[in-house]
């Protein structure tokens, strides 16, 4: 079983739609959680951290459920520019800042 | 954007040749990392560094070595390149080693081993 699992998609949605991605992780000792965004043939870029109480950044809302070991990302009012792959990242201290990446969920927003 | 430069950006080489990739940062961050990214896999850590001359293995270190002689430079060497090492390689940096800190990535190096 992979340490971090994501639905690879693609999720094809029209502009203005609301879309949600989930991610599950296996290590209960995981400390921190992030969503990264990766455009085609580009480097991953930090989208947002995920806090236990849930957090929002504009149209993006992240939730964490430690008991069930899953993380979610909700995108409201999708834009064409949101088309990308979204990487779920889980960290824990394994002698170093160990980041475990999911393989990513691809989102395609169409007009 | 974080000041991270990877070189070369693209490289094609033959099986059995040594290859060195360079990561240069201008952020004075202590921690540096090398990852590879392959289809269907998340980024996987090859090696990391927690200071000058301080390096350690990640989860896919076989066939790779690293060196860090200066804070700003972290080199990844494929000692004898194989086709299975064809991949996209990313360098990352972070200010702290604790798990609460995100990492910032360079633009990547696309490496093809023929």
């Amino acid at each position: 079983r992979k340490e971090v699992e994501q639905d690879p998609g693609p999720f094809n949605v029209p502009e203005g739609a609301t879309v949600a991605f989930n991610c599950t992780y296996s290590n209960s000792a995981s400390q921190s959680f992030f969503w990264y965004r990766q455009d085609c043939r580009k480097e991953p870029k930090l989208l947002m951290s995920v806090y236990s109480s849930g957090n929002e950044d504009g149209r993006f809302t992240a939730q964490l459920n430690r008991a069930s070991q899953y993380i979610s990302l909700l995108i409201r009012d999708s834009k064409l520019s949101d088309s990308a792959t979204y990487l779920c990242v889980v960290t824990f201290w394994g002698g170093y800042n160990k980041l475990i990446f999911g393989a990513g969920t691809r989102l395609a927003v169409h007009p | 954007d974080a000041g991270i430069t990877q070189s070369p950006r693209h490289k094609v080489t033959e099986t059995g040749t040594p290859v060195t990739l360079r990561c240069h940062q201008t952020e004075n961050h202590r921690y540096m990392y090398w990852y590879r990214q392959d289809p269907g896999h998340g980024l996987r850590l090859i090696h990391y560094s927690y200071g000058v001359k301080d390096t350690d293995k990640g989860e896919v270190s076989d066939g790779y070595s690293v060196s860090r002689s200066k804070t700003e430079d972290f080199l990844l060497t494929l000692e004898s390149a194989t086709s299975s090492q064809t991949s996209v390689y990313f360098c990352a940096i972070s200010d702290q080693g604790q798990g609460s800190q995100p990492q910032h990535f360079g633009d990547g190096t696309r490496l093809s081993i023929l």
Side-chain angles (χ1 to χ4, degrees):
Chain A
R1 181 187 173 191
K2 292 183 179 179
E3 291 186 83
V4 177
E5 296 206 60
Q6 297 182 250
D7 181 341
F11 284 62
N12 293 299
V13 303
E15 277 186 289
T18 295
V19 61
F21 309 136
N22 290 326
C23 163
T24 58
Y25 61 95
S26 60
N27 190 333
S28 60
S30 299
Q31 297 172 291
S32 301
F33 309 88
F34 305 98
W35 283 102
Y36 278 72
R37 170 197 168 123
Q38 186 173 24
D39 294 302
C40 188
R41 301 178 76 84
K42 298 286 190 179
E43 77 276 20
K45 291 188 176 180
L46 180 66
L47 178 66
M48 60 194 301
S49 301
V50 186
Y51 303 118
S52 298
S53 55
N55 51 297
E56 192 173 300
D57 183 0
R59 298 181 293 107
F60 298 85
T61 300
Q63 298 275 357
L64 168 64
N65 185 320
R66 283 188 184 269
S68 301
Q69 295 182 201
Y70 81 80
I71 307 151
S72 64
L73 177 67
L74 181 78
I75 305 175
R76 293 182 299 279
D77 188 23
S78 298
K79 312 292 184 189
L80 294 176
S81 57
D82 293 333
S83 297
T85 297
Y86 291 83
L87 308 177
C88 173
V89 181
V90 171
T91 83
F92 63 91
W93 181 250
Y96 62 93
N97 180 10
K98 186 171 184 179
L99 270 63
I100 307 296
F101 288 80
T105 297
R106 193 153 62 90
L107 171 66
V109 182
H110 56 83
Chain B
D1 288 345
I4 309 168
T5 304
Q6 290 186 231
S7 59
R9 294 293 313 279
H10 303 270
K11 186 172 182 68
V12 180
T13 191
E14 294 184 346
T15 300
T17 60
V19 177
T20 295
L21 309 183
R22 180 181 183 236
C23 178
H24 178 79
Q25 60 138 333
T26 58
E27 305 296 319
N28 200 35
H29 283 356
R30 178 180 175 188
Y31 295 86
M32 299 184 76
Y33 311 82
W34 276 108
Y35 292 88
R36 61 178 288 173
Q37 187 175 34
D38 304 291
H41 293 273
L43 278 84
R44 293 179 291 174
L45 183 68
I46 305 170
H47 281 279
Y48 69 99
S49 170
Y50 48 97
V52 173
K53 297 190 178 172
D54 292 324
T55 65
D56 208 344
K57 296 178 180 180
E59 59 179 305
V60 290
S61 60
D62 288 348
Y64 301 95
S65 62
V66 290
S67 65
R68 191 166 177 203
S69 59
K70 298 184 289 185
T71 298
E72 57 266 34
D73 289 327
F74 192 32
L75 303 181
L76 176 71
T77 297
L78 288 64
E79 292 139 11
S80 177
T82 67
S83 58
S84 64
Q85 293 176 310
T86 291
S87 188
V88 181
Y89 291 84
F90 288 102
C91 173
I93 64 173
S94 67
D95 192 23
Q96 299 177 31
Q98 295 301 319
S100 61
Q101 296 299 314
Q103 296 174 7
H104 301 280
F105 288 81
D107 292 343
T109 294
R110 294 188 173 275
L111 179 62
S112 296
I113 314 293
L114 305 178

